[in-house]
Amino acid sequence: MQADYVIVGAGSAGCALAYRLAEAGKDVLVVEHGGSDIGPFIQMPAALSYPMNMKRYDWGYSSEPEPHLNGRRLACPRGKVVGGSSSINGMVYVRGHARDFDTWQSMGASGWSYSDVLPYFKRMETWHHSGHGGDAAWRGNKGPLHVTRGPRKNPLFKAFVEAGKQAGYPTTDDYNGQQQEGFGPMEQTVFGGRRWSAANAYLRPALRHKNCKLLRGFVERVVIEEGRAVGIEVRRNGHQEVIRANREVILAASSINTPKLLMLSGIGPAAHLAEHGIDIVADRAGVGQNLQDHLELYLQYASLKPITLYRYWNLPSKAAIGAQWLLSRTGLGASNQFESAAFIRSSAGVEYPDIQYHFLPMAVRYDGKAAAEGHGFQAHMGPMRSKSRGAVTLASADPSEAPKILFNYMSDPQDWSDFRKGIRLTREIFSQDAFAPYVKHEIQPGAAIQSDDELDEFIRDEVESAYHPCGTARMGAANDPFAVVDPECRVIGVDGLRVADSSIFPQITNGNLNAPSIMVGEKAADHILGQGMLSPDQSEPWINPNWQQAQR
């Protein structure tokens, strides 16, 4: 088995990469350990809590006991299925803030400023705004990835935006356009009533080219000869085989599995590899380091009116919603139910938003456990730019063993004040007149929890990952000892090897990571093809003119 380009991982970036390379006539082989994504649990948007809790579709990773969270182990789901995590995620579409990418550039990722990446965000999407305003000039209309908005029929979606306005925050018609800051509609990767994963958007069209193939197998390491990646070792049907890459091997296996594969292949911190008896090919201190994530809390309120999704939280209703979706791809099953959102700044002197909200017209957890109160609603609130950093390390040199994942959540004192501030700002939003007809009482944390110490205890017990791990093979200048890849995604110190997934993010972006991960696959393809990059787009993003003086 051989191909010019061997891509490891059929996830968000890997699928985009396969599509662009195949479209350019290159000979491409994508290797994925997970199986098919066909079936209602994945394809039906409202069923999103199922696939990420199913062993069949998820690698099933969890963190080591987190020292600042009472030793809790937090779930770290990663998609083990065609489409990768885009097949098990919440389908929320957020590009990130313009300043995120300008920060990447300032950290040594030259050519990845906002003006450089905006053309790739436009190229990848077809944006359906259906007459609801928004910034058409900032959006794409010919890309494989369809981006839509939910119907926002439930009055609570409007109440959330109205409450933000009453509290003095701006509104935004399109947080993926010129202005991220403010309250407005949330966008989703849903099209024609089904999950529009990277598999549906990119991989299926790519596989229609005879020069692109998908192979199921468990990749154990990259084969490196005389400093050059020449292929991969794959376990298939109980046998190990080598697949040769005539041009390049590209790792797109996630911010957890990519650093693991690099280390198993002899690329990583020398002392750590030596501990496991792995021969060193390239001593790169940054492999597995710089692990970042978003944490969030669910602030839940009991509802005075029986208008929440709780009325469908019974078997007959779920069956009816499922049947309607199966027959017509319409109804409640056709949305992820995250239809209103907000990005705000936590204080004066913060230049661009550092808190994100997802609003949901039900009080429920990601694992599908509904609040005991019955009718309720919630805001998922989380700070965007924690300074805490963790690491992915090897548990052993055995490829079948899961890596050790320690996020080191909440290890920076600023995290605690950011979360406390976030809780208090959220309470203020829910105390506005727009919510007066709906708020019965606060379920969680509960009105009695007020002091810093009480809030800290609540945070320690209840904070959850938003499932946005990234940064473990960070991009930077070729002479940066902690960079793993250069700004063309090439692994420093090894020829013929690149990384294209969220591992390369120097710093986590604002919001959910699916969109920037796909953008990385799109842009990496142009670096690989070497035919020049899309020309920069100098459109100026909106920054609150009073950011130095005012919080809103």
Side-chain angles (χ1 to χ4, degrees):
M1 292 279 298
Q2 58 175 25
D4 287 343
Y5 295 97
V6 175
I7 299 171
V8 179
S12 301
C15 291
L17 195 54
Y19 175 91
R20 294 298 174 192
L21 294 180
E23 181 187 54
K26 304 300 178 192
D27 174 33
V28 182
L29 180 68
V30 184
V31 185
E32 169 58 49
H33 179 43
S36 169
D37 62 332
I38 302 297
F41 283 131
I42 283 185
Q43 297 299 328
M44 176 168 139
L48 65 92
S49 68
Y50 292 99
M52 70 171 72
N53 291 295
M54 290 169 76
K55 282 191 170 62
R56 179 178 167 186
Y57 299 130
D58 172 27
W59 283 85
Y61 292 144
S62 62
S63 76
E64 296 294 294
E66 290 288 343
H68 305 279
L69 298 178
N70 290 341
R72 288 165 61 207
R73 286 177 183 266
L74 270 64
C76 179
R78 290 293 86 195
K80 185 179 69 176
V81 57
V82 169
S85 296
S86 77
S87 288
I88 68 166
N89 69 1
M91 291 157 281
V92 171
Y93 184 78
V94 183
R95 287 172 168 182
H97 194 280
R99 288 288 183 263
D100 292 326
F101 304 102
D102 294 340
T103 301
W104 286 14
Q105 166 118 338
S106 71
M107 293 172 79
S110 55
W112 290 78
S113 72
Y114 186 58
S115 60
D116 295 309
V117 302
L118 180 55
Y120 288 95
F121 280 119
K122 288 183 176 180
R123 180 172 88 177
M124 69 195 228
E125 68 181 19
T126 292
W127 179 61
H128 303 263
H129 59 92
S130 57
H132 296 314
D135 289 343
W138 292 69
R139 308 303 298 269
N141 56 13
K142 296 186 189 71
L145 188 75
H146 290 275
V147 178
T148 60
R149 297 177 173 189
R152 301 178 82 206
K153 286 184 180 145
N154 194 302
L156 291 164
F157 289 124
K158 299 279 190 296
F160 183 68
V161 176
E162 193 52 38
K165 208 154 70 178
Q166 289 170 353
Y169 293 101
T171 57
T172 178
D173 253 354
D174 186 359
Y175 62 70
N176 285 314
Q178 186 172 19
Q179 178 182 334
Q180 189 191 62
E181 186 172 335
F183 283 68
M186 193 157 237
E187 299 199 321
Q188 44 185 270
T189 48
V190 171
F191 180 55
R194 56 196 269 246
R195 175 191 290 273
W196 204 247
S197 64
N200 285 334
Y202 286 99
L203 190 63
R204 291 198 165 82
L207 293 171
R208 290 186 203 122
H209 294 275
K210 60 181 187 304
N211 53 321
C212 183
K213 293 187 174 57
L214 175 66
L215 181 82
R216 193 166 178 193
F218 180 71
V219 179
E220 299 196 324
R221 61 180 59 79
V222 180
V223 180
I224 298 166
E225 293 170 3
E226 292 166 13
R228 182 175 186 86
V230 295
I232 54 172
E233 270 179 29
V234 181
R235 186 164 292 280
R236 295 176 67 213
N237 312 323
H239 302 290
Q240 199 182 53
E241 56 185 277
V242 171
I243 293 170
R244 307 291 290 190
N246 302 326
R247 312 252 335 234
E248 293 189 25
V249 173
I250 304 135
L251 298 181
S254 84
S255 57
I256 307 300
N257 287 327
T258 288
K260 176 191 165 187
L261 276 170
L262 286 168
M263 290 185 281
L264 288 171
S265 311
I267 303 158
H272 179 58
L273 301 186
E275 247 173 74
H276 295 291
I278 295 168
D279 292 339
I280 291 149
V281 171
D283 178 7
R284 298 308 304 170
V287 175
Q289 303 298 305
N290 192 45
L291 175 62
Q292 300 164 59
D293 190 15
H294 289 138
L295 283 175
E296 60 183 20
L297 287 168
Y298 309 159
L299 279 94
Q300 298 181 329
Y301 290 81
S303 175
L304 283 167
K305 295 183 177 177
I307 57 171
T308 75
L309 296 175
Y310 184 73
R311 62 180 177 222
Y312 306 109
W313 210 249
N314 54 67
L315 229 53
S317 296
K318 285 182 181 179
I321 290 167
Q324 181 182 355
W325 182 83
L326 284 166
L327 288 169
S328 63
R329 300 286 185 269
T330 60
L332 280 171
S335 169
N336 60 1
Q337 310 305 329
F338 289 116
E339 297 176 14
S340 282
F343 290 90
I344 66 171
R345 293 175 301 110
S346 60
S347 54
V350 174
E351 188 191 11
Y352 65 103
D354 59 343
I355 292 176
Q356 178 186 19
Y357 291 103
H358 299 64
F359 179 78
L360 190 65
M362 175 155 179
V364 67
R365 296 205 327 228
Y366 265 139
D367 59 11
K369 294 191 171 68
E373 310 274 339
H375 278 285
F377 43 86
Q378 68 193 29
H380 299 205
M381 181 280 297
M384 290 288 96
R385 290 188 289 286
S386 165
K387 291 186 177 71
S388 297
R389 296 290 179 270
V392 174
T393 52
L394 294 176
S396 78
D398 176 0
S400 66
E401 198 167 340
K404 286 185 165 171
I405 306 165
L406 181 69
F407 285 96
N408 210 17
Y409 289 125
M410 306 297 290
S411 54
D412 191 282
Q414 183 69 35
D415 295 339
W416 296 92
S417 62
D418 286 351
F419 259 107
R420 289 194 296 266
K421 199 179 289 177
I423 292 170
R424 291 174 172 138
L425 290 170
T426 308
R427 284 172 160 168
E428 184 197 2
I429 291 161
F430 281 107
S431 71
Q432 301 299 316
D433 289 348
F435 272 111
Y438 306 115
V439 170
K440 190 171 167 189
H441 59 259
E442 186 179 299
I443 301 174
Q444 160 171 317
I449 310 292
Q450 293 291 342
S451 71
D452 284 5
D453 287 349
E454 288 167 336
L455 290 176
D456 285 352
E457 192 176 348
F458 169 69
I459 295 161
R460 210 172 281 118
D461 290 343
E462 298 296 336
V463 77
E464 295 283 346
S465 169
Y467 310 140
H468 301 161
C470 63
T472 48
R474 107 172 153 71
M475 176 167 46
N479 61 0
D480 176 346
F482 290 99
V484 177
V485 301
D486 71 8
E488 295 199 19
C489 307
R490 296 176 295 212
V491 174
I492 301 165
V494 182
D495 292 331
L497 181 61
R498 295 197 209 224
V499 174
D501 61 21
S502 66
S503 311
I504 73 169
F505 293 11
Q507 179 177 289
I508 197 164
T509 55
N510 263 12
N512 311 60
L513 299 194
N514 185 233
S517 300
I518 292 173
M519 179 275 289
V520 163
E522 284 267 7
K523 190 168 184 290
D526 278 5
H527 288 296
I528 291 165
L529 292 167
Q531 296 161 356
M533 310 306 289
L534 297 180
S535 49
D537 181 331
Q538 302 296 350
S539 304
E540 273 297 309
W542 185 86
I543 300 284
N544 199 314
N546 299 321
W547 69 268
Q548 280 157 314
Q549 292 80 40
Q551 182 253 332
R552 59 189 94 165

